[in-house]
Amino acid sequence: MLDKYLNHLLTSSGNIVIINTMSYRINQKIGNHVYVYEVESYWDTEKKQPRQRRKYIGKKDPVTGEISTPRKGFTPRVARDYGHIYLLQNLAKRIGFQDVLREAFPMFLLSLYQVLEAKPLYLFKRWAEMSYLERPLVFSSQKISRLVEEIGTREDWRDKFFHSWVKRQGDIQAIIFDITSLSSYSRLLEYLEWGYNRDRDKLPQINLGLIVGQPSQRPLAYRIYPGSISDVSTLRNILILLDDLGVREFTFILDRGFYSAANIQEMAEEKIRFVMPLSFSTKMATQLISKHHRDLQSPLHGFYYKRRPMFHVKREISISDVALYAHLFHDERRRADEMEHLMRQMVEVEARVEEKEFWKKEAVEEYLEQSVKGISRLFEITGERPRFELKRKVKSISRLMNRMGKTVLLTNDQTLGREDMLSLYRRKDALEKMFDIIKNELASRRLRVSSKEAMEGRIFLTFLSLILYAEISRVMREKDLYKTYTLSEVFFELKKLRIVTLTNGKNYLTEVSKKQRNLFEKFEVPVPVAP
């Protein structure tokens, strides 16, 4: 009965409270079915607040609108999200991740939550209540904090996980290693120090060194360093860690920040193969590019790589008596893109400076650097306050343009050809995407913790989540799913698939749509059935 009003006189602490209540019907769609409930408002004398109670009436026919009375025990009691959880659990089982974490199942569920929701941990309990989990776990935010901090105290347990996880990876052909910065507002962590911040945050930081295996493209392990430690000083410890994990025959893929004579000698002594870009800030790089400028445009040195025309020159060089091979590449299409980007930035900066007023030359330089890092080196600042002008430095711009589209890669492995070098080096992009995931998708750009143990536990949980995230991203790239979906859209579509629990305790699965079935097939995961 709709809009039926009842007046109740309720006595509470000597006061007469008059409220209007009504009963009405609502339709709730679960899958392809519409269920009708009668809702009645009433006053809760214990909690001193208005409340609602529901009564299930029946299932509504979508064509005739008629309501069928349910058989006893077949009333839907609760519907929980399932499809996206089912997908991630199956991927975790397939790569052995869930088995390795069997002893710490709560951490597995927390990592699922981070990947699927990317929300603060204190909201985990609400998510768990609305999700269908094979082993239900509903933790309060206080208990989660204690659990994460406890994991942070157990370095032995974390190392045990790394060893078990690496053993499951099979043949590891290459190792990608790089470092990123994680900032924090906390003043209590001993690891937080001022240093080179890769995100230009004006906060103390820690450095996170991440190890990714190839060809699996999965994170293997990580190490945390004080914020002031430079990239080049970490390599020896990483070599020790990899040896301890049983990873000994591999090619190291490093970023240009690790270039130093000491690191090259270290890897030569350890007989470790490596691929590393040579920074254009080094004299050797500029000399090589200058010497082979014509060769890098000659048809004699042209080839095709993944449907792109490129040029390549290989030369033997020596650094600190270590014999190396320099592979020089020129990508004309990349050069055109970089040229367009530079010109657009220069014109935009010139226009903005012309419109603004500055009271000193230093303010113009600061404004330029805030607009585009490094662009102040390309201009001479002339004129007087409040109107300054920018004059282009022709030699500086020409030197920059000469480097565009060019890459110099170093290796100590003479067997690697030009395609091998490019293929290995471009795998480094996967690690850079993982850093973006850590800071953006998993909301870990700034650590909000109050102790070293909480920090260690929080980063370990983020690492676990990254393993799952990397696996589902890998499949999406291989199956070209990113052309149709974002990762969030995949989760949203599968989240519509729910498990409905009836009053008699039995479960049923809502109808699997064509789009959901296609996603499960792409991920090579069986279409789910009711548990």
Side-chain angles (χ1 to χ4, degrees):
M1 186 184 303
L2 288 174
D3 300 330
K4 179 182 178 182
Y5 292 95
L6 298 174
N7 293 328
H8 290 271
L9 291 177
L10 301 176
T11 304
S12 176
S13 302
N15 296 321
I16 302 297
V17 181
I18 302 177
I19 65 168
N20 289 325
T21 64
M22 69 174 181
S23 63
Y24 54 92
R25 290 181 177 179
I26 63 169
N27 297 331
Q28 182 175 1
K29 187 174 181 181
I30 302 176
N32 294 329
H33 300 293
V34 177
Y35 300 94
V36 183
Y37 296 84
E38 185 171 77
V39 182
E40 181 183 6
S41 300
Y42 69 96
W43 181 261
D44 191 320
T45 57
E46 292 183 2
K47 296 187 177 181
K48 306 295 189 296
Q49 61 183 3
R51 307 280 287 180
Q52 289 183 340
R53 60 168 66 94
R54 283 191 181 192
K55 180 181 178 182
Y56 178 63
I57 296 177
K59 187 188 298 184
K60 186 175 183 179
D61 189 297
V63 179
T64 64
E66 294 182 357
I67 299 173
S68 59
T69 306
R71 289 181 291 165
K72 186 176 180 181
F74 284 80
T75 306
R77 188 177 66 197
V78 63
R80 294 189 174 93
D81 302 331
Y82 181 61
H84 58 332
I85 298 171
Y86 171 83
L87 172 70
L88 216 52
Q89 284 178 326
N90 273 267
L91 292 179
K93 290 176 183 176
R94 191 158 71 197
I95 63 176
F97 177 72
Q98 192 166 347
D99 288 339
V100 176
L101 268 182
R102 191 174 298 279
E103 294 180 18
F105 186 73
M107 295 298 285
F108 172 66
L109 285 187
L110 288 173
S111 61
L112 280 184
Y113 165 75
Q114 277 207 317
V115 174
L116 295 173
E117 298 294 318
K119 292 179 180 177
L121 290 178
Y122 69 83
L123 297 174
F124 170 81
K125 181 179 179 181
R126 184 179 302 176
W127 172 80
E129 290 172 341
M130 297 303 297
S131 302
Y132 186 86
L133 305 172
E134 293 179 3
R135 291 165 58 184
L137 177 70
V138 183
F139 273 179
S140 65
S141 58
Q142 293 86 354
K143 193 167 185 178
I144 290 173
S145 296
R146 289 196 297 271
L147 172 65
V148 171
E149 192 161 349
E150 173 65 21
I151 291 293
T153 65
R154 296 291 305 277
E155 184 175 359
D156 60 328
W157 191 90
R158 298 196 303 274
D159 284 342
K160 181 182 177 183
F161 171 85
F162 294 145
H163 281 81
S164 299
W165 177 238
V166 168
K167 284 181 181 179
R168 291 209 171 237
Q169 304 313 305
D171 183 27
I172 298 174
Q173 300 170 9
I175 291 291
I176 308 173
F177 176 70
D178 204 354
I179 291 178
T180 192
S181 305
L182 300 177
S183 304
S184 177
Y185 294 105
S186 175
R187 304 297 181 191
L188 304 176
L189 302 183
E190 60 187 72
Y191 271 31
L192 285 173
E193 296 179 356
W194 295 97
Y196 170 65
N197 192 288
R198 294 151 184 82
D199 301 312
R200 302 170 72 179
D201 286 341
K202 296 180 179 179
L203 290 169
Q205 66 191 30
I206 63 165
N207 289 329
L208 176 67
L210 186 63
I211 301 169
V212 177
Q214 296 294 326
S216 69
Q217 302 179 38
R218 294 175 193 141
L220 301 181
Y222 67 88
R223 278 293 180 262
I224 301 172
Y225 307 97
S228 61
I229 298 296
S230 63
D231 293 358
V232 296
S233 61
T234 62
L235 206 54
R236 174 179 285 272
N237 289 334
I238 290 300
L239 292 174
I240 294 173
L241 171 61
L242 288 170
D243 183 70
D244 181 59
L245 292 173
V247 183
R248 296 181 179 89
E249 292 292 328
F250 60 89
T251 299
F252 230 151
I253 306 171
L254 299 167
D255 198 7
R256 57 177 51 86
F258 291 93
Y259 171 77
S260 72
N263 277 346
I264 288 174
Q265 286 179 321
E266 180 89 25
M267 288 185 287
E269 291 171 3
E270 297 291 335
K271 297 182 179 179
I272 290 177
R273 302 183 301 272
F274 69 86
V275 172
M276 180 193 307
L278 189 60
S279 173
F280 283 113
S281 63
T282 63
K283 185 177 180 180
M284 180 173 291
T286 55
Q287 287 177 342
L288 284 168
I289 291 297
S290 177
K291 182 177 180 181
H292 299 287
H293 181 74
R294 289 187 178 180
D295 293 334
L296 289 172
Q297 294 178 330
S298 169
L300 295 175
H301 300 283
F303 71 107
Y304 251 77
Y305 180 76
K306 295 188 176 180
R307 292 183 287 185
R308 290 178 74 113
M310 300 187 73
F311 300 88
H312 169 260
V313 174
K314 179 181 177 181
R315 291 292 178 266
E316 293 186 25
I317 63 171
S318 176
I319 296 177
S320 297
D321 297 326
V322 177
L324 300 174
Y325 302 89
H327 290 256
L328 286 65
F329 295 92
H330 176 69
D331 184 338
E332 191 63 43
R333 195 181 303 175
R334 198 185 97 201
R335 181 180 186 275
D337 292 340
E338 291 177 352
M339 184 85 73
E340 180 187 358
H341 185 63
L342 174 66
M343 287 300 148
R344 185 172 63 251
Q345 286 182 326
M346 290 175 59
V347 170
E348 289 175 354
V349 164
E350 288 169 337
R352 290 201 297 267
V353 170
E354 186 177 352
E355 294 173 355
K356 293 179 69 69
E357 294 183 353
F358 299 92
W359 297 100
K360 56 182 180 178
K361 184 178 178 180
E362 291 75 16
V364 183
E365 293 176 349
E366 184 178 353
Y367 178 76
L368 290 175
E369 283 301 303
Q370 289 177 348
S371 300
V372 181
K373 185 180 179 182
I375 203 168
S376 62
R377 297 194 298 267
L378 306 181
F379 292 103
E380 179 184 348
I381 302 171
T382 61
E384 298 179 354
R385 66 179 188 179
R387 295 291 182 182
F388 289 92
E389 296 179 359
L390 298 180
K391 184 179 178 181
R392 296 181 182 180
K393 296 181 179 179
V394 177
K395 289 186 177 180
S396 298
I397 296 171
S398 296
R399 282 196 297 268
L400 180 59
M401 290 170 61
N402 287 337
R403 300 201 302 255
M404 287 182 174
K406 297 179 177 65
T407 305
V408 180
L409 300 179
L410 298 181
T411 185
N412 56 356
D413 187 349
Q414 62 178 334
T415 66
L416 293 177
R418 59 195 182 190
E419 286 86 358
D420 299 324
M421 291 290 291
L422 283 176
S423 178
L424 284 169
Y425 180 64
R426 291 191 174 182
R427 291 180 186 179
K428 188 176 66 66
D429 293 341
L431 189 144
E432 292 174 356
K433 288 183 175 66
M434 289 181 189
F435 284 155
D436 289 338
I437 291 167
I438 290 173
K439 297 179 180 183
N440 300 316
E441 302 294 336
L442 300 179
S444 299
R445 180 181 292 276
R446 293 191 177 96
L447 294 168
R448 290 172 172 83
V449 291
S450 57
S451 67
K452 179 179 180 294
E453 291 74 22
M455 176 199 70
E456 293 274 11
R458 192 70 180 82
I459 290 177
F460 181 71
L461 176 57
T462 298
F463 174 76
L464 297 180
S465 304
L466 186 62
I467 292 174
L468 293 175
Y469 211 115
E471 181 61 18
I472 193 170
S473 295
R474 182 191 64 79
V475 177
M476 287 190 67
R477 285 193 303 273
E478 291 181 357
K479 301 293 184 177
D480 287 330
L481 284 172
Y482 277 120
K483 293 180 179 179
T484 310
Y485 298 93
T486 65
L487 196 52
S488 297
E489 287 170 342
V490 169
F491 291 153
F492 180 78
E493 183 61 39
L494 295 181
K495 190 177 182 179
K496 299 175 186 176
L497 195 59
R498 312 179 83 190
I499 294 288
V500 179
T501 303
L502 303 174
T503 52
N504 62 6
K506 294 184 177 180
N507 297 320
Y508 75 86
L509 183 72
T510 58
E511 288 77 5
V512 181
S513 69
K514 183 178 179 181
K515 190 178 291 187
Q516 292 166 347
R517 190 178 298 275
N518 180 62
L519 283 172
F520 287 124
E521 289 174 357
K522 289 287 186 180
F523 282 99
E524 298 179 9
V525 169
V527 177
V529 294

